[in-house]
Amino acid sequence: MQPYELSLARAADAIRARTLSPVELVDSVLDRIEQTEPHLGAYVTVTAEQARRAARAAEQDVAAGRLRGPLHGVPVALKDLIDVAGAATTASSRVRADHRARADSTVAARLTAAGAVLVGKTHTHEFAYGLTTPQTHNAWDRDRVAGGSSGGSAVAVAAGTATFALGTDTGGSIRVPSALNGVVGLKPTYGLVPRHGVTSLSWSLDHVGPITRTVEDAALALTALAGHDPRDPASLAACGPDHRPVGATDLTGLRIGVPRNYYFDHVAPEVEAAVRRALAGLESLGAQLVEVEIPMTRYIQATQWGLMVPEATAYHERTLRTVPELYQADVRILLEAGELMPAGDYLRAQRARTLMRQAWGRLLEEADVIAAPTVPATAVKAGDETITWPDGTTESVSDAYVRLSAPANITGVPALSVPVGHGTDGLPIGMQLLGRPLGEPVLLRVGHAYEQTQPARRTATV
Protein backbone atom coordinates (compact mmCIF):
# COMPACT_ATOMS: atom_id res chain seq x y z
CA MET A 1 0.00 0.00 0.00
CA GLN A 2 1.27 3.43 -0.95
CA PRO A 3 1.18 6.24 1.66
CA TYR A 4 -1.45 8.14 -0.35
CA GLU A 5 -3.83 5.18 0.11
CA LEU A 6 -3.80 5.38 3.91
CA SER A 7 -6.79 6.52 5.88
CA LEU A 8 -6.34 9.49 8.17
CA ALA A 9 -6.37 7.22 11.25
CA ARG A 10 -3.78 4.82 9.81
CA ALA A 11 -1.57 7.66 8.64
CA ALA A 12 -1.78 9.24 12.09
CA ASP A 13 -0.84 5.98 13.74
CA ALA A 14 2.13 5.55 11.41
CA ILE A 15 3.32 9.11 12.00
CA ARG A 16 3.00 8.69 15.76
CA ALA A 17 4.94 5.41 15.59
CA ARG A 18 7.53 7.10 13.34
CA THR A 19 7.17 4.41 10.68
CA LEU A 20 6.00 7.10 8.25
CA SER A 21 7.15 10.69 8.11
CA PRO A 22 4.90 13.62 7.17
CA VAL A 23 7.33 14.37 4.34
CA GLU A 24 6.90 10.87 2.88
CA LEU A 25 3.13 11.10 3.16
CA VAL A 26 2.85 14.56 1.63
CA ASP A 27 5.26 13.68 -1.19
CA SER A 28 3.22 10.58 -1.98
CA VAL A 29 0.00 12.60 -2.15
CA LEU A 30 1.59 15.33 -4.30
CA ASP A 31 2.95 12.69 -6.68
CA ARG A 32 -0.52 11.21 -6.89
CA ILE A 33 -1.96 14.65 -7.68
CA GLU A 34 0.52 15.08 -10.50
CA GLN A 35 -0.43 11.67 -11.88
CA THR A 36 -4.22 12.04 -11.70
CA GLU A 37 -5.10 15.72 -12.04
CA PRO A 38 -4.92 15.77 -15.86
CA HIS A 39 -7.74 13.20 -15.82
CA LEU A 40 -9.81 14.27 -12.81
CA GLY A 41 -9.64 18.05 -12.42
CA ALA A 42 -10.31 17.96 -8.69
CA TYR A 43 -8.13 20.97 -7.83
CA VAL A 44 -8.37 24.67 -8.53
CA THR A 45 -4.85 25.09 -7.22
CA VAL A 46 -2.21 22.84 -5.70
CA THR A 47 -0.03 24.35 -2.96
CA ALA A 48 2.88 21.97 -3.43
CA GLU A 49 5.77 24.08 -2.16
CA GLN A 50 3.89 25.34 0.88
CA ALA A 51 2.82 21.76 1.62
CA ARG A 52 6.38 20.50 1.48
CA ARG A 53 7.54 23.24 3.86
CA ALA A 54 4.72 22.43 6.27
CA ALA A 55 5.54 18.72 6.06
CA ARG A 56 9.19 19.34 6.92
CA ALA A 57 8.13 21.46 9.89
CA ALA A 58 5.72 18.73 11.02
CA GLU A 59 8.47 16.13 10.71
CA GLN A 60 10.75 18.22 12.93
CA ASP A 61 7.96 18.60 15.49
CA VAL A 62 7.33 14.85 15.56
CA ALA A 63 11.04 14.13 15.97
CA ALA A 64 11.14 16.55 18.91
CA GLY A 65 8.11 14.92 20.55
CA ARG A 66 5.76 17.82 19.80
CA LEU A 67 2.93 15.82 18.22
CA ARG A 68 -0.23 17.95 18.13
CA GLY A 69 -2.67 15.10 17.56
CA PRO A 70 -3.96 12.78 14.83
CA LEU A 71 -4.06 15.44 12.09
CA HIS A 72 -0.43 16.45 12.53
CA GLY A 73 1.41 16.09 9.22
CA VAL A 74 -1.64 14.72 7.37
CA PRO A 75 -2.53 16.21 3.93
CA VAL A 76 -5.87 18.00 3.64
CA ALA A 77 -7.66 19.70 0.75
CA LEU A 78 -10.15 22.53 1.20
CA LYS A 79 -13.12 23.31 -1.00
CA ASP A 80 -12.45 26.61 -2.73
CA LEU A 81 -15.05 28.43 -0.68
CA ILE A 82 -12.88 28.22 2.44
CA ASP A 83 -10.51 31.11 3.11
CA VAL A 84 -6.81 30.58 3.73
CA ALA A 85 -4.86 33.76 4.39
CA GLY A 86 -3.04 34.98 1.28
CA ALA A 87 -4.51 32.30 -0.95
CA ALA A 88 -7.13 32.67 -3.65
CA THR A 89 -10.74 31.78 -2.86
CA THR A 90 -12.29 31.66 -6.30
CA ALA A 91 -15.46 29.64 -5.61
CA SER A 92 -14.65 28.18 -9.05
CA SER A 93 -16.01 31.37 -10.61
CA ARG A 94 -14.71 34.13 -12.86
CA VAL A 95 -16.46 36.54 -10.49
CA ARG A 96 -13.81 35.72 -7.86
CA ALA A 97 -10.85 35.27 -10.19
CA ASP A 98 -8.72 37.90 -8.43
CA HIS A 99 -9.96 37.40 -4.88
CA ARG A 100 -7.42 36.60 -2.16
CA ALA A 101 -8.31 35.92 1.45
CA ARG A 102 -7.02 38.35 4.06
CA ALA A 103 -7.31 35.90 6.94
CA ASP A 104 -7.90 32.24 7.67
CA SER A 105 -11.41 30.92 8.03
CA THR A 106 -12.11 29.39 11.42
CA VAL A 107 -11.89 25.85 10.07
CA ALA A 108 -8.63 26.50 8.22
CA ALA A 109 -7.12 28.00 11.38
CA ARG A 110 -8.22 25.00 13.43
CA LEU A 111 -6.74 22.55 10.95
CA THR A 112 -3.46 24.48 10.96
CA ALA A 113 -3.43 24.45 14.76
CA ALA A 114 -3.94 20.68 14.63
CA GLY A 115 -0.93 20.34 12.31
CA ALA A 116 -2.76 19.38 9.10
CA VAL A 117 -0.92 20.14 5.86
CA LEU A 118 -2.84 21.95 3.11
CA VAL A 119 -2.12 20.48 -0.34
CA GLY A 120 -4.60 22.55 -2.32
CA LYS A 121 -8.03 24.05 -2.93
CA THR A 122 -10.62 21.90 -4.67
CA HIS A 123 -13.24 22.70 -7.29
CA THR A 124 -16.87 23.41 -6.48
CA HIS A 125 -19.87 23.90 -8.68
CA GLU A 126 -19.72 27.67 -9.15
CA PHE A 127 -20.42 29.30 -5.76
CA ALA A 128 -21.65 25.86 -4.61
CA TYR A 129 -24.86 26.44 -6.58
CA GLY A 130 -25.23 23.03 -8.22
CA LEU A 131 -24.89 19.31 -7.68
CA THR A 132 -22.52 18.12 -10.43
CA THR A 133 -19.22 20.14 -10.28
CA PRO A 134 -18.76 20.17 -14.08
CA GLN A 135 -15.00 20.91 -13.94
CA THR A 136 -14.33 17.62 -12.13
CA HIS A 137 -14.70 13.99 -13.24
CA ASN A 138 -15.92 11.09 -11.14
CA ALA A 139 -13.06 9.18 -9.55
CA TRP A 140 -14.44 5.83 -10.76
CA ASP A 141 -15.48 6.79 -14.28
CA ARG A 142 -14.26 9.94 -16.02
CA ASP A 143 -17.39 10.03 -18.17
CA ARG A 144 -19.59 10.43 -15.09
CA VAL A 145 -20.30 13.45 -12.93
CA ALA A 146 -18.44 13.92 -9.67
CA GLY A 147 -21.50 15.18 -7.84
CA GLY A 148 -21.52 18.49 -6.10
CA SER A 149 -21.06 21.00 -5.06
CA SER A 150 -18.09 19.57 -3.13
CA GLY A 151 -17.14 17.37 -6.06
CA GLY A 152 -13.47 18.28 -6.06
CA SER A 153 -13.07 17.39 -2.38
CA ALA A 154 -14.83 14.04 -2.72
CA VAL A 155 -12.86 13.07 -5.83
CA ALA A 156 -9.58 14.08 -4.16
CA VAL A 157 -10.25 11.76 -1.22
CA ALA A 158 -11.51 8.92 -3.42
CA ALA A 159 -8.48 9.13 -5.72
CA GLY A 160 -5.87 9.48 -2.97
CA THR A 161 -4.93 13.07 -3.78
CA ALA A 162 -5.86 14.16 -0.24
CA THR A 163 -5.99 12.08 2.91
CA PHE A 164 -9.09 14.01 3.93
CA ALA A 165 -10.88 17.14 2.74
CA LEU A 166 -13.46 19.71 3.76
CA GLY A 167 -16.62 20.50 1.86
CA THR A 168 -19.78 22.50 2.40
CA ASP A 169 -23.34 21.24 2.37
CA THR A 170 -26.41 23.41 1.67
CA GLY A 171 -28.69 20.83 0.06
CA GLY A 172 -26.50 17.73 0.08
CA SER A 173 -23.21 19.05 -1.28
CA ILE A 174 -21.00 16.96 1.02
CA ARG A 175 -23.08 13.81 1.00
CA VAL A 176 -24.00 13.65 -2.70
CA PRO A 177 -20.43 13.65 -4.10
CA SER A 178 -19.27 11.41 -1.25
CA ALA A 179 -21.89 8.82 -2.18
CA LEU A 180 -21.13 9.09 -5.91
CA ASN A 181 -17.38 8.63 -5.33
CA GLY A 182 -17.45 5.96 -2.64
CA VAL A 183 -16.18 7.94 0.35
CA VAL A 184 -17.58 9.07 3.71
CA GLY A 185 -19.24 12.49 4.01
CA LEU A 186 -20.47 14.10 7.21
CA LYS A 187 -22.83 17.07 7.39
CA PRO A 188 -22.72 18.05 11.05
CA THR A 189 -25.52 19.54 13.12
CA TYR A 190 -26.27 23.10 12.00
CA GLY A 191 -23.93 25.41 13.91
CA LEU A 192 -21.58 22.72 15.23
CA VAL A 193 -18.74 23.67 12.83
CA PRO A 194 -18.27 27.45 12.41
CA ARG A 195 -18.61 28.99 8.94
CA HIS A 196 -16.69 32.23 9.51
CA GLY A 197 -14.50 32.82 6.45
CA VAL A 198 -16.47 30.41 4.25
CA THR A 199 -18.26 31.79 1.18
CA SER A 200 -21.99 31.42 1.69
CA LEU A 201 -24.59 29.97 -0.62
CA SER A 202 -27.58 30.12 1.75
CA TRP A 203 -26.75 31.17 5.29
CA SER A 204 -29.63 29.37 6.98
CA LEU A 205 -28.82 26.08 5.23
CA ASP A 206 -25.00 26.12 4.94
CA HIS A 207 -22.84 23.60 6.82
CA VAL A 208 -19.10 22.80 6.75
CA GLY A 209 -17.93 19.23 7.26
CA PRO A 210 -15.33 16.56 6.45
CA ILE A 211 -15.04 14.12 3.55
CA THR A 212 -12.91 11.12 4.46
CA ARG A 213 -12.00 7.52 3.65
CA THR A 214 -13.54 6.05 6.80
CA VAL A 215 -16.05 6.91 9.50
CA GLU A 216 -13.27 6.99 12.09
CA ASP A 217 -11.49 9.57 9.95
CA ALA A 218 -14.63 11.72 9.89
CA ALA A 219 -14.77 11.60 13.67
CA LEU A 220 -11.14 12.67 13.98
CA ALA A 221 -11.66 15.59 11.63
CA LEU A 222 -14.90 16.66 13.32
CA THR A 223 -13.25 16.72 16.73
CA ALA A 224 -10.70 19.23 15.42
CA LEU A 225 -13.32 21.37 13.64
CA ALA A 226 -16.20 21.60 16.13
CA GLY A 227 -16.38 24.39 18.65
CA HIS A 228 -18.06 27.73 19.26
CA ASP A 229 -17.01 30.81 17.29
CA PRO A 230 -18.83 34.08 18.06
CA ARG A 231 -18.07 35.34 14.53
CA ASP A 232 -20.62 32.86 13.18
CA PRO A 233 -24.07 33.94 14.44
CA ALA A 234 -25.34 30.35 14.12
CA SER A 235 -22.42 28.79 16.02
CA LEU A 236 -23.51 26.54 18.87
CA ALA A 237 -22.12 26.92 22.38
CA ALA A 238 -22.46 23.17 23.01
CA CYS A 239 -20.05 21.13 20.94
CA GLY A 240 -20.15 17.63 22.38
CA PRO A 241 -17.32 15.27 23.25
CA ASP A 242 -14.45 13.73 21.34
CA HIS A 243 -16.35 12.18 18.46
CA ARG A 244 -14.03 9.23 17.75
CA PRO A 245 -16.08 6.01 17.73
CA VAL A 246 -14.79 3.32 20.07
CA GLY A 247 -15.82 -0.13 21.16
CA ALA A 248 -17.21 -3.19 19.47
CA THR A 249 -19.72 -3.48 16.66
CA ASP A 250 -22.59 -4.40 18.99
CA LEU A 251 -25.61 -2.19 18.25
CA THR A 252 -28.01 -3.96 20.61
CA GLY A 253 -30.80 -1.69 21.77
CA LEU A 254 -30.34 0.89 19.02
CA ARG A 255 -33.45 1.68 16.98
CA ILE A 256 -32.85 2.36 13.29
CA GLY A 257 -35.76 3.93 11.47
CA VAL A 258 -36.45 2.64 7.96
CA PRO A 259 -38.69 5.05 6.03
CA ARG A 260 -41.83 3.53 4.55
CA ASN A 261 -42.30 6.63 2.38
CA TYR A 262 -40.26 9.21 0.48
CA TYR A 263 -36.68 7.91 0.81
CA PHE A 264 -37.28 4.75 -1.22
CA ASP A 265 -39.65 6.38 -3.73
CA HIS A 266 -38.12 6.77 -7.21
CA VAL A 267 -34.86 5.08 -6.28
CA ALA A 268 -32.87 2.88 -8.65
CA PRO A 269 -33.43 -0.82 -7.78
CA GLU A 270 -29.73 -1.52 -7.24
CA VAL A 271 -29.45 1.46 -4.88
CA GLU A 272 -32.41 0.26 -2.85
CA ALA A 273 -31.02 -3.29 -2.80
CA ALA A 274 -27.60 -2.12 -1.58
CA VAL A 275 -29.09 0.01 1.20
CA ARG A 276 -31.44 -2.75 2.34
CA ARG A 277 -28.49 -5.19 2.47
CA ALA A 278 -26.67 -2.68 4.65
CA LEU A 279 -29.74 -2.38 6.88
CA ALA A 280 -29.82 -6.16 7.25
CA GLY A 281 -26.16 -5.97 8.24
CA LEU A 282 -26.97 -3.42 10.95
CA GLU A 283 -29.78 -5.65 12.18
CA SER A 284 -27.34 -8.55 12.43
CA LEU A 285 -25.22 -6.36 14.74
CA GLY A 286 -28.14 -6.07 17.16
CA ALA A 287 -29.92 -2.97 15.93
CA GLN A 288 -33.72 -2.99 15.84
CA LEU A 289 -35.22 -1.91 12.52
CA VAL A 290 -38.44 0.06 12.92
CA GLU A 291 -40.62 1.46 10.16
CA VAL A 292 -41.12 5.22 10.29
CA GLU A 293 -43.17 7.75 8.37
CA ILE A 294 -41.29 10.79 7.04
CA PRO A 295 -43.39 13.90 7.78
CA MET A 296 -44.37 16.75 5.47
CA THR A 297 -42.79 15.17 2.40
CA ARG A 298 -44.80 17.20 -0.10
CA TYR A 299 -43.20 20.38 1.25
CA ILE A 300 -39.55 19.29 1.39
CA GLN A 301 -38.26 20.43 -1.99
CA ALA A 302 -40.41 23.55 -2.09
CA THR A 303 -39.07 24.54 1.33
CA GLN A 304 -35.45 23.83 0.33
CA TRP A 305 -35.67 25.94 -2.83
CA GLY A 306 -37.84 28.55 -1.12
CA LEU A 307 -35.10 29.19 1.42
CA MET A 308 -32.01 28.73 -0.74
CA VAL A 309 -32.93 30.71 -3.84
CA PRO A 310 -33.68 34.11 -2.24
CA GLU A 311 -30.81 33.81 0.27
CA ALA A 312 -28.33 33.03 -2.51
CA THR A 313 -29.59 35.95 -4.61
CA ALA A 314 -29.31 38.32 -1.66
CA TYR A 315 -25.67 37.27 -1.15
CA HIS A 316 -24.86 37.92 -4.83
CA GLU A 317 -26.96 41.06 -5.23
CA ARG A 318 -24.10 43.47 -6.01
CA THR A 319 -22.09 41.29 -8.41
CA LEU A 320 -25.21 39.99 -10.14
CA ARG A 321 -26.02 43.57 -11.08
CA THR A 322 -22.48 44.72 -11.92
CA VAL A 323 -20.84 41.70 -13.60
CA PRO A 324 -23.64 39.24 -14.49
CA GLU A 325 -21.75 38.08 -17.58
CA LEU A 326 -19.06 36.49 -15.39
CA TYR A 327 -21.44 33.87 -13.97
CA GLN A 328 -21.99 30.52 -15.64
CA ALA A 329 -25.41 30.37 -17.31
CA ASP A 330 -26.95 27.78 -14.96
CA VAL A 331 -25.96 29.74 -11.85
CA ARG A 332 -26.95 33.10 -13.29
CA ILE A 333 -30.43 31.80 -14.12
CA LEU A 334 -30.94 30.63 -10.54
CA LEU A 335 -29.69 33.92 -9.11
CA GLU A 336 -31.93 35.94 -11.40
CA ALA A 337 -34.88 33.73 -10.47
CA GLY A 338 -34.29 34.67 -6.86
CA GLU A 339 -34.91 38.32 -7.69
CA LEU A 340 -38.43 37.41 -8.78
CA MET A 341 -39.40 35.44 -5.67
CA PRO A 342 -41.96 37.26 -3.51
CA ALA A 343 -41.07 37.89 0.12
CA GLY A 344 -44.21 36.03 1.11
CA ASP A 345 -42.89 32.82 -0.45
CA TYR A 346 -39.67 33.11 1.56
CA LEU A 347 -41.63 33.66 4.77
CA ARG A 348 -43.84 30.67 4.03
CA ALA A 349 -40.71 28.56 3.54
CA GLN A 350 -39.43 29.74 6.91
CA ARG A 351 -42.70 28.75 8.56
CA ALA A 352 -42.63 25.37 6.83
CA ARG A 353 -39.10 24.81 8.12
CA THR A 354 -40.21 25.48 11.69
CA LEU A 355 -43.02 22.94 11.37
CA MET A 356 -40.67 20.44 9.71
CA ARG A 357 -38.10 20.75 12.50
CA GLN A 358 -40.80 20.08 15.06
CA ALA A 359 -42.08 17.08 13.09
CA TRP A 360 -38.58 15.63 12.73
CA GLY A 361 -38.06 16.08 16.47
CA ARG A 362 -41.07 13.83 17.05
CA LEU A 363 -39.86 11.40 14.36
CA LEU A 364 -36.49 11.03 16.09
CA GLU A 365 -38.24 10.04 19.30
CA GLU A 366 -39.39 6.90 17.48
CA ALA A 367 -35.89 5.95 16.30
CA ASP A 368 -32.32 6.79 17.28
CA VAL A 369 -31.16 6.95 13.66
CA ILE A 370 -32.92 7.13 10.29
CA ALA A 371 -31.24 5.11 7.52
CA ALA A 372 -31.93 5.62 3.81
CA PRO A 373 -30.22 6.04 0.44
CA THR A 374 -28.01 9.11 0.12
CA VAL A 375 -28.64 9.58 -3.61
CA PRO A 376 -31.38 7.74 -5.54
CA ALA A 377 -29.07 6.67 -8.38
CA THR A 378 -25.39 6.27 -9.14
CA ALA A 379 -23.48 8.99 -10.97
CA VAL A 380 -25.07 10.02 -14.26
CA LYS A 381 -23.06 10.61 -17.41
CA ALA A 382 -21.66 14.11 -17.79
CA GLY A 383 -24.12 16.24 -19.69
CA ASP A 384 -27.20 14.22 -18.74
CA GLU A 385 -29.95 16.50 -17.47
CA THR A 386 -32.60 13.96 -16.46
CA ILE A 387 -32.94 10.52 -14.86
CA THR A 388 -35.58 8.07 -16.07
CA TRP A 389 -37.05 5.84 -13.36
CA PRO A 390 -38.30 2.26 -13.86
CA ASP A 391 -41.93 3.44 -14.01
CA GLY A 392 -41.08 5.61 -17.02
CA THR A 393 -41.22 8.97 -15.22
CA THR A 394 -38.31 11.38 -15.48
CA GLU A 395 -36.73 13.77 -13.01
CA SER A 396 -34.06 16.44 -13.41
CA VAL A 397 -30.65 15.43 -12.11
CA SER A 398 -30.58 18.40 -9.73
CA ASP A 399 -33.97 17.52 -8.22
CA ALA A 400 -33.06 13.84 -7.94
CA TYR A 401 -29.73 14.51 -6.25
CA VAL A 402 -31.09 17.05 -3.75
CA ARG A 403 -34.33 15.24 -2.97
CA LEU A 404 -33.02 12.81 -0.34
CA SER A 405 -30.42 15.07 1.20
CA ALA A 406 -32.44 18.30 1.63
CA PRO A 407 -34.35 17.28 4.79
CA ALA A 408 -31.17 17.34 6.89
CA ASN A 409 -30.36 20.87 5.72
CA ILE A 410 -33.86 22.19 6.34
CA THR A 411 -34.00 20.70 9.83
CA GLY A 412 -30.31 21.08 10.70
CA VAL A 413 -29.96 17.48 11.89
CA PRO A 414 -26.62 15.68 11.36
CA ALA A 415 -26.30 13.30 8.41
CA LEU A 416 -23.56 10.83 7.51
CA SER A 417 -23.12 9.17 4.12
CA VAL A 418 -21.36 5.79 4.18
CA PRO A 419 -20.43 3.69 1.12
CA VAL A 420 -22.44 0.46 0.88
CA GLY A 421 -21.12 -1.09 -2.30
CA HIS A 422 -21.17 -0.57 -6.06
CA GLY A 423 -23.82 -0.93 -8.70
CA THR A 424 -23.68 -3.17 -11.76
CA ASP A 425 -22.00 -0.25 -13.55
CA GLY A 426 -19.16 -0.36 -11.01
CA LEU A 427 -20.15 2.99 -9.52
CA PRO A 428 -20.45 3.60 -5.78
CA ILE A 429 -23.66 3.65 -3.74
CA GLY A 430 -24.11 5.46 -0.43
CA MET A 431 -26.35 5.01 2.61
CA GLN A 432 -27.34 8.06 4.63
CA LEU A 433 -27.70 8.01 8.42
CA LEU A 434 -29.61 10.89 10.01
CA GLY A 435 -29.83 11.60 13.73
CA ARG A 436 -30.88 14.01 16.44
CA PRO A 437 -29.24 17.43 16.77
CA LEU A 438 -25.75 16.93 18.24
CA GLY A 439 -26.27 13.21 17.68
CA GLU A 440 -23.01 12.79 15.75
CA PRO A 441 -21.60 10.24 18.24
CA VAL A 442 -24.53 7.89 17.55
CA LEU A 443 -24.29 8.29 13.77
CA LEU A 444 -20.55 7.70 13.86
CA ARG A 445 -21.01 4.65 16.08
CA VAL A 446 -23.48 3.11 13.64
CA GLY A 447 -21.44 3.98 10.56
CA HIS A 448 -18.25 2.70 12.15
CA ALA A 449 -19.91 -0.55 13.25
CA TYR A 450 -21.17 -1.20 9.72
CA GLU A 451 -17.80 -0.33 8.25
CA GLN A 452 -16.01 -2.84 10.48
CA THR A 453 -18.00 -5.69 8.94
CA GLN A 454 -17.03 -4.79 5.37
CA PRO A 455 -13.87 -5.37 3.33
CA ALA A 456 -11.43 -2.48 3.29
CA ARG A 457 -12.33 0.00 0.55
CA ARG A 458 -9.77 0.57 -2.13
CA THR A 459 -8.63 3.82 -3.66
CA ALA A 460 -10.38 4.64 -6.92
CA THR A 461 -8.49 3.49 -10.00
CA VAL A 462 -8.32 6.64 -12.05
Side-chain angles (χ1 to χ4, degrees), residues 24 36 44 59-60 64 117 129 139-140 150 185 193 199 220 258 274 278 304 313 336 347 379 392-393 426 449 452 457:
E24 292 172 325
T36 62
V44 177
E59 187 172 83
Q60 291 169 0
V117 175
Y129 213 170
W140 294 89
S150 306
V193 176
T199 301
L220 293 173
V258 182
Q304 172 72 22
T313 298
E336 290 174 343
L347 294 174
T393 61
Q452 297 311 296
R457 290 190 294 274

Side-chain angles (χ1 to χ4, degrees), residues 169-171 175 186-193 195 203-208 234 236 263 303-304 307 352-354 356-358 360-361 364 405-416 432-440 443:
D169 193 311
T170 304
R175 291 161 288 152
L186 174 62
K187 184 204 77 66
T189 300
Y190 183 72
L192 181 61
V193 176
R195 302 165 302 172
W203 57 81
S204 72
L205 298 168
D206 291 340
H207 302 67
V208 179
L236 297 176
Y263 275 101
T303 302
Q304 172 72 22
L307 295 167
R353 170 165 48 196
T354 298
M356 209 172 294
R357 281 176 172 166
Q358 293 169 347
W360 271 74
L364 288 163
S405 51
N409 296 89
I410 296 168
T411 60
V413 302
L416 175 73
Q432 183 176 198
L433 303 172
L434 304 99
R436 298 170 187 141
L438 296 178
E440 282 80 358
L443 296 188

Side-chain angles (χ1 to χ4, degrees), residues 91-355:
S92 294
S93 175
R94 293 180 297 169
V95 175
R96 285 279 193 89
D98 299 322
H99 175 79
R100 288 192 172 269
R102 296 180 180 179
D104 280 345
S105 58
T106 302
V107 289
R110 289 179 178 176
L111 291 176
T112 298
V117 175
L118 178 67
V119 292
K121 304 287 285 293
T122 54
H123 268 301
T124 171
H125 203 117
E126 185 178 30
F127 283 106
Y129 213 170
L131 288 149
T132 58
T133 316
Q135 311 91 324
T136 304
H137 303 281
N138 190 284
W140 294 89
D141 183 340
R142 299 177 209 167
D143 293 329
R144 304 277 175 159
V145 299
S149 63
S150 306
S153 289
V155 168
V157 174
T161 60
T163 304
F164 73 110
L166 296 194
T168 64
D169 193 311
T170 304
S173 292
I174 287 173
R175 291 161 288 152
V176 169
S178 294
L180 298 183
N181 288 280
V183 291
V184 173
L186 174 62
K187 184 204 77 66
T189 300
Y190 183 72
L192 181 61
V193 176
R195 302 165 302 172
H196 173 74
V198 179
T199 301
S200 176
L201 172 57
S202 173
W203 57 81
S204 72
L205 298 168
D206 291 340
H207 302 67
V208 179
I211 296 174
T212 60
R213 304 256 174 87
T214 70
V215 174
E216 182 181 14
D217 291 357
L220 293 173
L222 180 63
T223 299
L225 296 168
H228 179 64
D229 181 354
R231 296 171 296 181
D232 179 354
S235 183
L236 297 176
C239 297
D242 184 324
H243 296 279
R244 188 167 184 168
V246 294
T249 59
D250 185 9
L251 298 179
T252 300
L254 198 78
R255 298 168 301 163
I256 295 181
V258 182
R260 68 171 66 95
N261 65 323
Y262 191 73
Y263 275 101
F264 289 98
D265 298 342
H266 282 146
V267 168
E270 60 185 358
V271 171
E272 178 170 357
V275 172
R276 293 201 184 276
R277 282 194 300 270
L279 287 167
L282 294 176
E283 188 174 32
S284 72
L285 298 177
Q288 178 188 1
L289 303 186
V290 295
E291 273 200 349
V292 295
E293 184 84 10
I294 303 301
M296 299 181 66
T297 57
R298 62 182 293 190
Y299 302 108
I300 288 172
Q301 286 187 279
T303 302
Q304 172 72 22
W305 290 103
L307 295 167
M308 182 173 64
V309 171
E311 290 183 359
T313 298
Y315 183 85
H316 289 272
E317 182 176 16
R318 183 182 61 83
T319 47
L320 183 61
R321 293 180 180 178
T322 56
V323 288
E325 71 280 359
L326 296 183
Y327 289 94
Q328 296 296 320
D330 61 331
V331 172
R332 179 178 170 180
I333 289 169
L334 287 170
L335 292 173
E336 290 174 343
E339 293 188 309
L340 304 177
M341 183 172 287
D345 287 354
Y346 179 64
L347 294 174
R348 279 185 281 274
Q350 292 281 18
R351 294 182 186 124
R353 170 165 48 196
T354 298
L355 295 173

Side-chain angles (χ1 to χ4, degrees), residues 343-391:
D345 287 354
Y346 179 64
L347 294 174
R348 279 185 281 274
Q350 292 281 18
R351 294 182 186 124
R353 170 165 48 196
T354 298
L355 295 173
M356 209 172 294
R357 281 176 172 166
Q358 293 169 347
W360 271 74
R362 294 188 292 271
L363 170 65
L364 288 163
E365 291 175 358
E366 301 175 29
D368 302 298
V369 173
I370 306 298
T374 307
V375 184
T378 55
V380 299
K381 290 184 178 180
D384 283 0
E385 296 183 355
T386 60
I387 297 175
T388 301
W389 300 114
D391 64 2

